[in-house]
């Protein structure tokens, strides 16, 4: 047994149903945040018509695009950080094995 908790570890298996449910929950939360944020920002407080006005629709379109663009940029930063962390963990494991782990 090594200092860091054991020898070779098996890669965890992911249940496809659990992954799909988790992804749906994340998409639903994201959509609800977009709707809440953009509607609050763009929709007029005095609703006289059942439909949105042209200015409100344009504002919501821009707001949604900006929100999704920001989410994509954050996702790329997190993905890069996760890749770097995985690389560091792999290097640590290699060093540990090299020194008699």
């Amino acid at each position: 047994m090594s200092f860091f908790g054991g020898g070779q570890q098996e890669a965890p298996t992911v249940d496809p149903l659990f992954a799909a449910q988790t992804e749906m929950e994340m998409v639903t939360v994201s959509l609800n945040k977009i709707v809440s944020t953009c509607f609050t920002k763009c929709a007029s407080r005095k609703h006289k018509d059942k439909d949105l006005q042209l200015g409100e629709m344009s504002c919501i379109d821009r707001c949604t695009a900006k929100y999704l663009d920001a989410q994509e940029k954050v996702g790329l930063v997190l993905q890069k950080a996760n890749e770097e962390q995985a690389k560091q963990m792999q290097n640590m494991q290699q060093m540990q094995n090299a020194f008699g782990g």
Side-chain angles (χ1 to χ4, degrees):
M1 185 167 167
S2 72
F3 180 76
F4 292 108
Q8 296 291 336
Q9 295 180 355
E10 295 180 19
T13 58
V14 178
D15 179 22
L17 180 59
F18 176 74
Q21 288 173 333
T22 303
E23 184 176 1
M24 283 299 297
E25 289 173 8
M26 289 174 29
V27 168
T28 301
V29 167
S30 182
L31 180 62
N32 287 337
K33 286 181 181 180
I34 291 172
V35 168
S36 175
T37 301
C38 294
F39 188 82
T40 300
K41 179 181 176 185
C42 298
S44 172
R45 300 279 183 231
K46 302 172 188 172
H47 293 290
K48 297 178 183 174
D49 297 327
K50 63 180 179 177
D51 296 328
L52 293 173
Q53 297 174 0
L54 182 60
E56 293 171 327
M57 287 188 287
S58 297
C59 179
I60 289 174
D61 286 343
R62 285 191 308 273
C63 179
T64 302
K66 288 178 183 179
Y67 191 93
L68 292 174
D69 188 43
Q71 290 296 314
E72 182 180 355
K73 288 178 182 178
V74 168
L76 291 174
V77 169
L78 290 176
Q79 181 180 7
K80 185 177 179 182
N82 285 339
E83 289 171 357
E84 289 175 6
Q85 185 180 17
K87 191 175 183 179
Q88 288 176 349
M89 292 296 288
Q90 185 179 17
N91 289 341
M92 273 179 49
Q93 190 172 25
Q94 287 174 352
M95 286 176 33
Q96 182 181 13
N97 290 339
F99 290 115

